[in-house]
Short mmCIF file of all heavy atoms in Angstrom, two decimals:
data_model
loop_
_atom_site.label_atom_id
_atom_site.label_comp_id
_atom_site.label_asym_id
_atom_site.label_seq_id
_atom_site.Cartn_x
_atom_site.Cartn_y
_atom_site.Cartn_z
N LYS A 11 -48.11 -17.49 32.79
CA LYS A 11 -46.81 -18.21 33.15
C LYS A 11 -47.16 -19.41 34.00
O LYS A 11 -47.92 -19.26 35.02
CB LYS A 11 -45.89 -17.24 34.00
CG LYS A 11 -44.60 -17.89 34.38
CD LYS A 11 -43.76 -18.07 33.10
CE LYS A 11 -42.36 -18.81 33.55
NZ LYS A 11 -41.57 -19.00 32.36
N THR A 12 -46.76 -20.52 33.54
CA THR A 12 -47.00 -21.77 34.25
C THR A 12 -45.69 -22.47 34.55
O THR A 12 -44.85 -22.58 33.67
CB THR A 12 -47.82 -22.73 33.44
OG1 THR A 12 -49.03 -21.99 32.98
CG2 THR A 12 -48.32 -23.94 34.22
N TYR A 13 -45.40 -22.70 35.82
CA TYR A 13 -44.24 -23.43 36.17
C TYR A 13 -44.50 -24.93 36.32
O TYR A 13 -45.53 -25.32 36.87
CB TYR A 13 -43.63 -22.92 37.56
CG TYR A 13 -43.13 -21.57 37.49
CD1 TYR A 13 -43.82 -20.51 38.06
CD2 TYR A 13 -41.92 -21.25 36.84
CE1 TYR A 13 -43.34 -19.19 38.04
CE2 TYR A 13 -41.38 -19.98 36.80
CZ TYR A 13 -42.10 -18.98 37.44
OH TYR A 13 -41.62 -17.69 37.36
N LYS A 14 -43.71 -25.69 35.78
CA LYS A 14 -43.88 -27.13 35.87
C LYS A 14 -42.93 -27.64 36.91
O LYS A 14 -41.69 -27.43 36.81
CB LYS A 14 -43.57 -27.84 34.52
CG LYS A 14 -44.87 -28.03 33.71
CD LYS A 14 -44.52 -28.94 32.50
CE LYS A 14 -45.18 -28.31 31.27
NZ LYS A 14 -44.57 -28.75 30.02
N LEU A 15 -43.46 -28.28 37.96
CA LEU A 15 -42.61 -28.92 38.96
C LEU A 15 -42.94 -30.38 39.04
O LEU A 15 -43.89 -30.84 39.66
CB LEU A 15 -42.79 -28.26 40.36
CG LEU A 15 -42.38 -26.78 40.46
CD1 LEU A 15 -42.81 -26.22 41.76
CD2 LEU A 15 -40.86 -26.75 40.36
N VAL A 20 -47.77 -25.05 38.39
CA VAL A 20 -48.15 -23.90 39.20
C VAL A 20 -48.49 -22.76 38.22
O VAL A 20 -47.65 -22.34 37.47
CB VAL A 20 -46.95 -23.47 40.10
CG1 VAL A 20 -47.31 -22.22 40.84
CG2 VAL A 20 -46.51 -24.60 40.97
N HIS A 21 -49.74 -22.32 38.24
CA HIS A 21 -50.14 -21.20 37.42
C HIS A 21 -49.84 -19.90 38.13
O HIS A 21 -50.66 -19.44 38.89
CB HIS A 21 -51.63 -21.37 37.01
CG HIS A 21 -51.89 -22.62 36.31
ND1 HIS A 21 -51.60 -22.78 34.98
CD2 HIS A 21 -52.46 -23.75 36.70
CE1 HIS A 21 -51.96 -23.91 34.60
NE2 HIS A 21 -52.49 -24.60 35.65
N ALA A 22 -48.62 -19.39 37.92
CA ALA A 22 -48.22 -18.13 38.58
C ALA A 22 -48.94 -17.00 38.04
O ALA A 22 -49.34 -16.06 38.81
CB ALA A 22 -46.71 -18.01 38.48
N LEU A 23 -49.19 -16.95 36.73
CA LEU A 23 -49.97 -15.88 36.13
C LEU A 23 -50.95 -16.51 35.16
O LEU A 23 -50.66 -17.37 34.40
CB LEU A 23 -49.02 -14.94 35.35
CG LEU A 23 -47.97 -14.16 36.09
CD1 LEU A 23 -47.09 -13.37 35.07
CD2 LEU A 23 -48.67 -13.19 37.12
N GLY A 40 -50.25 -7.04 45.97
CA GLY A 40 -50.81 -8.39 46.17
C GLY A 40 -50.11 -9.06 47.32
O GLY A 40 -49.08 -8.58 47.80
N THR A 41 -50.74 -10.14 47.79
CA THR A 41 -50.13 -10.84 48.90
C THR A 41 -48.98 -11.69 48.46
O THR A 41 -48.74 -11.77 47.25
CB THR A 41 -51.15 -11.78 49.60
OG1 THR A 41 -51.68 -12.61 48.56
CG2 THR A 41 -52.21 -10.99 50.29
N SER A 42 -48.31 -12.29 49.41
CA SER A 42 -47.11 -13.10 49.00
C SER A 42 -47.54 -14.31 48.18
O SER A 42 -48.55 -14.94 48.50
CB SER A 42 -46.40 -13.53 50.31
OG SER A 42 -45.28 -14.31 49.95
N GLY A 43 -46.88 -14.56 47.11
CA GLY A 43 -47.13 -15.69 46.28
C GLY A 43 -48.24 -15.40 45.28
O GLY A 43 -48.67 -16.32 44.56
N SER A 44 -48.65 -14.17 45.18
CA SER A 44 -49.79 -13.88 44.23
C SER A 44 -49.22 -13.74 42.83
O SER A 44 -50.04 -13.71 41.88
CB SER A 44 -50.44 -12.51 44.70
OG SER A 44 -49.47 -11.52 44.76
N GLY A 45 -47.93 -13.62 42.68
CA GLY A 45 -47.45 -13.63 41.26
C GLY A 45 -46.86 -12.26 40.88
O GLY A 45 -46.58 -12.01 39.68
N LYS A 46 -46.69 -11.32 41.78
CA LYS A 46 -46.19 -10.00 41.49
C LYS A 46 -44.87 -10.03 40.89
O LYS A 46 -44.56 -9.44 39.78
CB LYS A 46 -46.14 -9.11 42.78
CG LYS A 46 -47.31 -9.20 43.64
CD LYS A 46 -47.19 -8.32 44.91
CE LYS A 46 -46.08 -8.85 45.78
NZ LYS A 46 -46.46 -9.96 46.63
N SER A 47 -43.95 -10.74 41.58
CA SER A 47 -42.58 -10.73 41.02
C SER A 47 -42.49 -11.43 39.69
O SER A 47 -41.77 -10.97 38.78
CB SER A 47 -41.61 -11.47 42.01
OG SER A 47 -41.50 -10.81 43.21
N THR A 48 -43.23 -12.48 39.50
CA THR A 48 -43.33 -13.18 38.26
C THR A 48 -43.71 -12.24 37.11
O THR A 48 -43.06 -12.21 36.05
CB THR A 48 -44.22 -14.37 38.37
OG1 THR A 48 -43.92 -15.11 39.44
CG2 THR A 48 -44.18 -15.19 37.14
N LEU A 49 -44.73 -11.41 37.42
CA LEU A 49 -45.20 -10.44 36.42
C LEU A 49 -44.11 -9.45 36.07
O LEU A 49 -43.88 -9.12 34.95
CB LEU A 49 -46.48 -9.71 37.00
CG LEU A 49 -47.02 -8.66 36.12
CD1 LEU A 49 -47.42 -9.21 34.78
CD2 LEU A 49 -48.17 -7.97 36.83
N LEU A 50 -43.47 -8.96 37.15
CA LEU A 50 -42.45 -7.90 36.87
C LEU A 50 -41.29 -8.55 36.07
O LEU A 50 -40.82 -7.84 35.10
CB LEU A 50 -41.91 -7.41 38.24
CG LEU A 50 -41.17 -6.11 38.14
CD1 LEU A 50 -42.09 -4.93 37.98
CD2 LEU A 50 -40.33 -5.90 39.32
N ASN A 51 -40.88 -9.73 36.43
CA ASN A 51 -39.76 -10.32 35.70
C ASN A 51 -40.06 -10.54 34.22
O ASN A 51 -39.26 -10.36 33.33
CB ASN A 51 -39.42 -11.69 36.34
CG ASN A 51 -38.85 -11.50 37.73
OD1 ASN A 51 -38.35 -10.51 38.06
ND2 ASN A 51 -38.94 -12.56 38.48
N GLU A 57 -37.61 -13.31 32.26
CA GLU A 57 -38.19 -14.57 32.10
C GLU A 57 -39.10 -14.60 30.94
O GLU A 57 -39.69 -13.57 30.56
CB GLU A 57 -39.03 -14.95 33.36
CG GLU A 57 -38.45 -15.98 34.23
CD GLU A 57 -39.35 -16.29 35.38
OE1 GLU A 57 -39.86 -15.33 36.07
OE2 GLU A 57 -39.67 -17.48 35.61
N GLN A 92 -35.15 -5.20 45.79
CA GLN A 92 -35.39 -5.20 47.30
C GLN A 92 -34.06 -5.30 47.98
O GLN A 92 -33.82 -4.61 48.98
CB GLN A 92 -36.25 -6.36 47.68
CG GLN A 92 -36.43 -6.47 49.13
CD GLN A 92 -37.43 -7.59 49.51
OE1 GLN A 92 -37.92 -8.33 48.66
NE2 GLN A 92 -37.67 -7.78 50.79
N ASP A 168 -38.93 -4.00 42.42
CA ASP A 168 -39.57 -5.09 43.18
C ASP A 168 -39.30 -4.94 44.63
O ASP A 168 -38.14 -5.07 45.11
CB ASP A 168 -39.00 -6.44 42.70
CG ASP A 168 -39.79 -7.61 43.16
OD1 ASP A 168 -40.64 -7.37 44.04
OD2 ASP A 168 -39.57 -8.72 42.56
N GLU A 169 -40.35 -4.55 45.38
CA GLU A 169 -40.28 -4.39 46.79
C GLU A 169 -39.07 -3.46 47.22
O GLU A 169 -38.20 -3.93 47.92
CB GLU A 169 -40.13 -5.70 47.55
CG GLU A 169 -41.17 -6.71 47.17
CD GLU A 169 -42.34 -6.80 48.16
OE1 GLU A 169 -42.49 -5.80 49.00
OE2 GLU A 169 -43.14 -7.73 48.06
N VAL A 200 -43.71 -3.04 42.60
CA VAL A 200 -44.34 -4.23 43.10
C VAL A 200 -44.28 -4.23 44.63
O VAL A 200 -43.18 -4.05 45.17
CB VAL A 200 -43.68 -5.56 42.49
CG1 VAL A 200 -43.94 -6.73 43.35
CG2 VAL A 200 -44.20 -5.79 41.09
N THR A 201 -45.33 -4.43 45.28
CA THR A 201 -45.32 -4.46 46.73
C THR A 201 -46.51 -5.20 47.34
O THR A 201 -47.48 -5.46 46.66
CB THR A 201 -45.25 -2.97 47.32
OG1 THR A 201 -45.07 -3.07 48.75
CG2 THR A 201 -46.49 -2.21 46.96
N HIS A 202 -46.41 -5.52 48.59
CA HIS A 202 -47.57 -6.07 49.31
C HIS A 202 -48.07 -5.05 50.35
O HIS A 202 -48.97 -5.27 51.12
CB HIS A 202 -47.18 -7.38 50.00
CG HIS A 202 -46.12 -7.21 51.03
ND1 HIS A 202 -44.72 -7.45 50.71
CD2 HIS A 202 -46.03 -6.83 52.28
CE1 HIS A 202 -44.01 -7.23 51.73
NE2 HIS A 202 -44.78 -6.80 52.68
N ILE A 216 -53.59 -7.88 42.45
CA ILE A 216 -53.40 -9.17 41.97
C ILE A 216 -53.54 -10.24 42.97
O ILE A 216 -53.02 -10.08 44.11
CB ILE A 216 -52.00 -9.22 41.19
CG1 ILE A 216 -51.77 -10.53 40.53
CG2 ILE A 216 -50.85 -8.85 42.12
CD1 ILE A 216 -50.60 -10.50 39.57
N GLY A 219 -52.37 -14.78 40.76
CA GLY A 219 -51.97 -14.65 39.38
C GLY A 219 -53.03 -14.06 38.52
O GLY A 219 -52.99 -14.14 37.29
N LEU B 447 -31.93 -14.14 36.30
CA LEU B 447 -32.98 -14.18 37.44
C LEU B 447 -32.52 -15.05 38.52
O LEU B 447 -32.57 -14.67 39.70
CB LEU B 447 -34.22 -14.69 36.71
CG LEU B 447 -35.48 -14.52 37.63
CD1 LEU B 447 -35.68 -13.02 37.86
CD2 LEU B 447 -36.74 -15.10 36.96
N GLU B 448 -32.08 -16.29 38.25
CA GLU B 448 -31.61 -17.16 39.28
C GLU B 448 -30.42 -16.53 40.01
O GLU B 448 -30.41 -16.58 41.27
CB GLU B 448 -31.05 -18.47 38.69
CG GLU B 448 -32.13 -19.26 37.90
CD GLU B 448 -33.24 -19.83 38.77
OE1 GLU B 448 -32.94 -20.23 39.90
OE2 GLU B 448 -34.34 -19.70 38.28
N LYS B 451 -31.44 -13.77 42.49
CA LYS B 451 -32.12 -14.37 43.62
C LYS B 451 -31.17 -15.01 44.59
O LYS B 451 -31.42 -14.98 45.82
CB LYS B 451 -33.12 -15.42 43.15
CG LYS B 451 -34.46 -14.87 42.72
CD LYS B 451 -35.42 -16.08 42.49
CE LYS B 451 -36.70 -15.63 41.70
NZ LYS B 451 -37.35 -16.81 41.12
N1 ATP C 1 -39.03 -20.57 39.47
C1 ATP C 1 -40.17 -21.05 39.97
N2 ATP C 1 -40.53 -22.33 39.87
C2 ATP C 1 -41.71 -22.76 40.31
N3 ATP C 1 -42.60 -21.93 40.84
C3 ATP C 1 -42.33 -20.67 41.06
C4 ATP C 1 -41.10 -20.09 40.53
N4 ATP C 1 -41.15 -18.78 40.75
C5 ATP C 1 -42.34 -18.50 41.37
N5 ATP C 1 -43.02 -19.61 41.45
C6 ATP C 1 -44.41 -19.66 42.03
O1 ATP C 1 -45.13 -18.71 41.43
C7 ATP C 1 -45.99 -18.07 42.29
C8 ATP C 1 -45.78 -16.57 42.25
O2 ATP C 1 -44.57 -16.28 42.78
P1 ATP C 1 -43.98 -14.82 42.92
O3 ATP C 1 -42.59 -14.88 43.24
O4 ATP C 1 -44.37 -14.07 41.73
O5 ATP C 1 -44.82 -14.26 44.16
P2 ATP C 1 -44.74 -12.78 44.78
O6 ATP C 1 -46.08 -12.25 44.53
O7 ATP C 1 -43.63 -12.09 44.22
O8 ATP C 1 -44.53 -13.05 46.23
P3 ATP C 1 -43.65 -12.29 47.37
O9 ATP C 1 -44.47 -11.08 47.72
O10 ATP C 1 -43.54 -13.23 48.49
O11 ATP C 1 -42.40 -12.00 46.68
C9 ATP C 1 -45.66 -18.66 43.72
O12 ATP C 1 -46.69 -19.65 44.03
C10 ATP C 1 -44.35 -19.32 43.48
O13 ATP C 1 -44.31 -20.50 44.28
#
Side-chain angles (χ1 to χ4, degrees):
Chain A
K11 182 70 185 180
T12 308
Y13 291 108
K14 268 190 224 162
L15 293 170
V20 180
H21 299 284
L23 295 176
T41 53
S42 182
S44 55
K46 311 180 294 285
S47 296
T48 308
L49 176 60
L50 196 78
N51 293 338
E57 248 182 313
Q92 177 177 359
D168 192 346
E169 309 262 15
V200 157
T201 185
H202 59 265
I216 182 166
Chain B
L447 194 60
E448 300 294 320
K451 275 187 193 164

